[in-house]
Amino acid sequence: MSHENPAVKKTWFTPFNMVVGFILLVGAVITILRFTKGLGAVTNLDDNNPWGIWISFDLLCGVALAAGGYTTSAACYVFGLKRYHSAVRPAILTAFLGYALVVFALHYDVGRPWRLPYPFFVQSGPTSVLFEVGLCVFLYLNVLFLEWSPSALEWLGYKKLRNVIVKLTLGLTIFGVILSTMHQSSLGALYLIAPSKLHPLWYSSYLPVFFFVSSIAAGLSMVIFEGTLSHRYMHHKMDETYLSEHDGVTLGFAKAASLVLAGYFFIKVVGLALDNNWHYLLTGYGLWYLVELLGFVALPAFLYAMSVREQNLKLVRWGAVLTVLGIVLNRFNVSQVAFNWHLPSAARYFPSWMEVAISIFVVTVGLVIFRFITTNMPIFYEHPEFKEHEPVELTEHELKPHPQSF
Amino acid sequence: MLRRQFLGLLGATAACAALGKPAQAAGTKHFAGYPGSNGVLFDATRCIGCRRCEAGCNQVNGLPAPDRPFDDLSVLDQKRRTNAKSYTVVNRYDNIPGAAGPVYRKTQCNHCLEPACASACFVAAFTKTPQGAVTWDETVCVGCRYCMIACPFEIPTYEYNEPLTPRVMKCTMCYPQITSGKLRVPGCVGACPTEALVYGSRAELLQVARERFHAHPGRYINQIYGEREMGGTNWLYISGVPFREIGLREDLGVTPAPELTSGALAAVPIVASVWPVLLLGIYAVSKARDRVAKEETKAAVAAAVAKAQAEAQTKLAKTKADAEAQMKTAIEREVKKALEEAAQGPTEGGE
């Protein structure tokens, strides 16, 4: 094929590359600004509002939406739901990139990023919830790296090392669930220390429980949501096992998410009742709280339940989108909307365009790496050389390709 | 596998033991402050809003020159808070019901007995000194600003325009200057012309405040702000008007900040020790269920095969028997027929 058709000649100037290139360029410029002029030059942060969207979105939402890693691997390896096996690798990859980007984004936000390992190696503050968050995120990033590494090792052809790491799967999964339980909840616990700043409807001694339970719903929904997107753009990379299991994964996860969201709804109401906060519901903040609780918790729980009953994949996707938006809304409500509610509106925070641009930049970096890895490494398919090395469940899949008994 | 799990659990237990701190939330212990620790008593009935304390603080701490000079009192027209250039500010509060004129109040770090900032700092950069001051260590601070989230009095500030070496800035009660002997009292106290600020041991200051209540009936509301707020502070306030009228929050409660998170932190070792048991249990159950299901399938298949085989055997035997019987009857019939034919044969042949 030496005569290439000029019409299909490979060009770097595709619309996708142009947009990505532009975002990366803007990100690079703001990065230089941040590290030469300081946070004051690029953010709207001030002494009353020390945490902006780089914490609300990049950290709180980033970690919650990367929860698909521990939920999926726990479902498959601990709970023994082997029909979800093909969903594990994409979920682990998403989680690994998510956490890596959380840590990457933190380098912009903290004052002296090279000191980020200080809490573990120089001087520890174990009375701090943030210490727990930091330690767990640090450890979990390593766990996710190990969980993800077999796909890279298969790609590179390091069989021996790959087989050693695959043997650690159960241990890594359990360690991952423990670490996730602790830091997902601790992100909520961060705000326990500021009852005088957070609106009573969002402040609760159950905040850690709320954050943990909602992270499960977020993780399940992200797997569904991301699976839908991947189906559209990475379809050519998927093997038969992935494709035949995909609908089963979607409906199974929808069922689980429906139950978790229903449970989340009830513990939120319990929190409301425990603190006797009913009278706040008729205020402006109360209506906003109801929008979150009814529109983004109860409604997606209902949509998920409906979709499972009717085996309606389209409805599942709506449920997933609504849940993901609901988690983002909740994290923003806790960390921004309801935080500092006692301050006059002039003293409240609104992000600068450069803060938004850096958040978009971080997500774009993640997207580009995700695309590179899923294009090159066995994520949506099983590497032909390693098929037989997979545990027994693989043969089971082949025996019954449509395990959709709900 | 078992040995590995055991070692893992052992490691987790050791890690918990090393990291765990005694959970005091449920205990009956109450920290009433270091004995003999120092503080400052601010008397709002004496403050005239001259901003000399701000100037004194600025000078002894070597802070940058203010945007507007310290004798410019028009800055009091707007409410201000501490910032990276000023550890302390004075605010004026107008139109307070029951007050003859404006009332002034100085803001700075209250030096909590159990500081929220120190509890929240993940590198333990803050220290509650036995002398009373809460100090901050630049050599370990990462600049995460969680202290600013945690502080109920909104005191710590941050050098947002420092790109690589931003500091958290807050009042030190002139701890370095006093311990080195450069100052006897904090800069603000030394600069106050009306003795609205008194420096001394916290216990004595509480005494002084009560004596003033006693000596001037009706002049004060008989309450000392900072005696119990957030578990108590080394900086104390007395006033002739309700504290909320001069910008001091009365809804903070008396719980020291560390207690607000100690419950959640106490859950950490429990999760770390219970989760492995629970998760391995679930794993074992699902494994066992799989195995049982597989065995049951196997047994059922074996039974079905055996049954089918047995049936086939009987059928075969029956068929065989039937065939034999048929054969036998056929032979007998044929023999009989032949015999009959033989018996009749000669007669017929003879005809």
Side-chain angles (χ1 to χ4, degrees):
Chain A
M1 294 294 244
S2 53
H3 299 289
E4 257 186 359
N5 185 347
V8 294
K9 197 179 165 191
K10 238 189 168 179
T11 168
W12 284 99
F13 293 96
T14 61
F16 178 83
N17 286 357
M18 300 263 272
V19 172
V20 166
F22 176 72
I23 293 171
L24 296 185
L25 191 73
V26 173
V29 172
I30 302 173
T31 305
I32 294 169
L33 268 179
R34 153 67 185 91
F35 288 104
T36 52
K37 305 274 178 201
L39 280 175
V42 294
T43 69
N44 280 348
L45 298 176
D46 59 38
D47 290 327
N48 284 326
N49 302 288
W51 283 0
I53 61 162
W54 291 352
I55 297 296
S56 300
F57 182 75
D58 300 17
L59 175 67
L60 297 182
C61 295
V63 168
L65 298 180
Y70 84 89
T71 43
T72 311
S73 55
C76 179
Y77 297 125
V78 177
F79 291 80
L81 303 169
K82 288 163 191 165
R83 58 190 174 183
Y84 301 142
H85 188 253
S86 63
V88 171
R89 279 204 172 177
I92 290 287
L93 173 64
T94 313
F96 173 52
L97 289 181
Y99 276 83
L101 292 171
V102 164
V103 175
F104 174 63
L106 276 180
H107 284 70
Y108 285 79
D109 191 72
V110 303
R112 311 188 198 209
W114 61 92
R115 286 186 177 178
L116 277 170
Y118 270 32
F120 323 121
F121 300 113
V122 177
Q123 184 166 299
S124 299
T127 58
S128 171
V129 177
L130 196 60
F131 177 77
E132 192 202 335
V133 171
L135 187 60
C136 289
V137 168
F138 167 68
L139 290 174
Y140 189 45
L141 186 61
N142 288 298
V143 168
L144 281 171
F145 173 75
L146 286 176
E147 287 188 299
W148 163 80
S149 62
S151 23
L153 294 171
E154 286 173 17
W155 176 55
L156 296 168
Y158 292 117
K159 281 189 182 178
K160 263 191 175 168
L161 187 57
R162 179 259 179 210
N163 291 340
V164 169
I165 293 175
V166 165
K167 285 207 181 83
L168 299 175
T169 302
L170 178 66
L172 287 174
T173 303
I174 289 180
F175 195 35
V177 175
I178 295 166
L179 291 171
S180 295
T181 309
M182 295 203 282
H183 72 260
Q184 292 284 1
S185 59
S186 293
L187 285 175
L190 281 178
Y191 290 90
L192 286 179
I193 204 161
S196 57
K197 294 182 182 176
L198 188 55
H199 191 282
L201 281 174
W202 281 274
Y203 186 89
S204 161
S205 49
Y206 290 148
L207 261 177
V209 183
F210 293 163
F211 267 56
F212 173 60
V213 174
S214 60
S215 85
I216 300 173
L220 296 168
S221 301
M222 270 308 276
V223 171
I224 297 172
F225 181 63
E226 185 243 292
T228 309
L229 289 183
S230 299
H231 239 270
R232 187 168 294 175
Y233 298 107
M234 300 302 299
H235 197 276
H236 57 289
K237 284 281 165 191
M238 295 168 175
D239 68 1
E240 264 186 36
T241 315
Y242 182 92
L243 291 173
S244 66
E245 283 185 11
H246 184 262
D247 289 355
V249 168
T250 306
L251 286 168
F253 275 41
K255 191 177 183 186
S258 169
L259 287 169
V260 172
L261 279 174
Y264 178 53
F265 178 84
F266 282 112
I267 59 170
K268 286 282 270 189
V269 174
V270 167
L272 202 61
L274 188 83
D275 291 334
N276 199 13
N277 281 333
W278 302 102
H279 60 286
Y280 286 110
L281 289 181
L282 291 173
T283 64
Y285 275 103
L287 295 178
W288 186 237
Y289 178 85
L290 287 176
V291 167
E292 183 196 319
L293 189 65
L294 299 179
F296 292 91
V297 180
L299 181 60
F302 178 71
L303 288 184
Y304 269 140
M306 284 275 289
S307 64
V308 172
R309 212 176 86 129
E310 291 169 14
Q311 304 272 298
N312 184 341
L313 291 170
K314 211 171 163 187
L315 203 57
V316 172
R317 276 159 211 154
W318 276 107
V321 168
L322 220 53
T323 309
V324 169
L325 287 178
I327 297 300
V328 173
L329 180 68
N330 173 258
R331 300 310 192 251
F332 267 85
N333 278 343
V334 170
S335 61
Q336 300 297 346
V337 178
F339 191 81
N340 273 340
W341 69 294
H342 63 292
L343 291 183
S345 52
R348 301 294 301 273
Y349 160 88
F350 193 82
S352 73
W353 74 266
M354 285 189 275
E355 289 176 83
V356 178
I358 284 293
S359 287
I360 294 174
F361 166 73
V362 170
V363 172
T364 308
V365 169
L367 216 65
V368 170
I369 303 176
F370 185 84
R371 214 169 85 129
F372 173 81
I373 292 179
T374 51
T375 306
N376 289 290
M377 300 182 198
I379 300 295
F380 292 117
Y381 62 93
E382 277 162 305
H383 197 288
E385 280 180 47
F386 293 96
K387 269 197 160 178
E388 72 274 14
H389 285 281
E390 287 294 342
V392 217
E393 61 259 34
L394 208 131
T395 47
E396 284 177 5
H397 293 317
E398 285 164 1
L399 284 175
K400 32 177 182 165
H402 294 292
Q404 291 180 18
S405 49
F406 298 103
Chain B
M1 192 62 195
L2 259 175
R3 189 182 58 131
R4 195 187 309 152
Q5 283 166 8
F6 174 73
L7 288 176
L9 284 174
L10 206 66
T13 315
C16 291
L19 289 175
K21 285 212 117 196
Q24 281 159 355
T28 49
K29 275 187 202 157
H30 170 63
F31 180 65
Y34 288 109
S37 69
N38 289 323
V40 175
L41 175 67
F42 169 82
D43 189 335
T45 66
R46 296 186 180 191
C47 180
I48 55 170
C50 65
R51 299 186 68 207
R52 299 261 184 91
C53 52
E54 292 183 31
C57 172
N58 178 282
Q59 193 223 324
V60 302
N61 287 299
L63 296 172
D67 298 334
R68 278 149 85 182
F70 287 112
D71 51 12
D72 180 358
L73 296 185
S74 65
V75 298
L76 296 176
D77 292 342
Q78 280 178 340
K79 295 283 175 290
R80 296 174 301 152
R81 60 154 290 159
T82 54
N83 59 44
K85 288 179 180 175
S86 47
Y87 292 167
T88 185
V89 291
V90 175
N91 277 315
R92 187 183 71 218
Y93 297 89
D94 299 310
N95 309 320
I96 299 172
V103 180
Y104 303 90
R105 204 259 304 176
K106 179 180 176 301
T107 308
Q108 73 299 305
C109 176
N110 287 328
H111 301 276
C112 303
L113 299 181
E114 295 178 73
C117 55
S119 155
C121 183
F122 71 161
V123 282
F126 291 91
T127 310
K128 176 69 180 175
T129 65
Q131 291 87 340
V134 177
T135 59
W136 168 84
D137 180 3
E138 187 184 345
T139 62
V140 291
C141 177
V142 181
C144 72
R145 307 186 296 287
Y146 188 36
C147 51
M148 297 163 71
I149 293 280
C151 177
F153 301 109
E154 292 159 1
I155 293 304
T157 70
Y158 188 74
E159 292 182 317
Y160 282 103
N161 292 319
E162 282 293 327
L164 296 172
T165 55
R167 290 174 295 173
V168 169
M169 305 293 276
K170 75 163 203 68
C171 159
T172 60
M173 217 198 282
C174 288
Y175 178 78
Q177 293 92 332
I178 290 174
T179 43
S180 69
K182 247 188 263 171
L183 287 177
R184 273 196 325 106
V185 298
C188 55
V189 177
C192 182
T194 63
E195 287 187 33
L197 295 167
V198 184
Y199 179 71
S201 92
R202 183 173 186 266
E204 276 173 26
L205 293 176
L206 287 168
Q207 202 76 35
V208 169
R210 294 213 169 83
E211 276 160 19
R212 287 189 195 170
F213 295 165
H214 203 68
H216 307 280
R219 184 166 168 181
Y220 296 97
I221 55 158
N222 289 358
Q223 194 194 334
I224 305 166
Y225 192 93
E227 188 177 11
R228 295 187 194 288
E229 278 70 20
M230 295 303 294
T233 59
N234 278 63
W235 212 285
L236 304 165
Y237 302 80
I238 52 176
S239 160
V241 296
F243 293 115
R244 62 177 173 277
E245 302 286 356
I246 54 171
L248 288 168
R249 290 184 67 170
E250 292 175 332
D251 58 349
L252 297 179
V254 297
T255 309
E259 276 182 27
L260 295 167
T261 52
S262 61
L265 286 171
V268 171
I270 284 297
V271 169
S273 45
V274 172
W275 252 222
V277 178
L278 205 66
L279 293 170
L280 281 173
I282 292 170
Y283 172 75
V285 168
S286 83
K287 263 265 140 119
R289 191 182 291 153
D290 277 1
R291 201 188 59 234
V292 168
K294 216 171 263 175
E295 278 169 7
E296 280 175 357
T297 316
K298 222 168 144 187
V301 167
V305 168
K307 200 179 160 198
Q309 272 176 346
E311 270 171 14
Q313 211 83 50
T314 8
K315 217 172 173 182
L316 195 71
K318 204 183 160 213
T319 320
K320 223 170 159 183
D322 282 359
E324 266 171 23
Q326 262 174 26
M327 191 99 86
K328 215 174 165 186
T329 25
I331 290 171
E332 277 171 3
R333 199 171 57 230
E334 287 303 313
V335 169
K336 208 176 166 188
K337 211 170 153 191
L339 285 175
E340 276 171 12
E341 268 174 22
Q344 287 175 10
T347 359
E348 217 170 87
E351 271 179 341

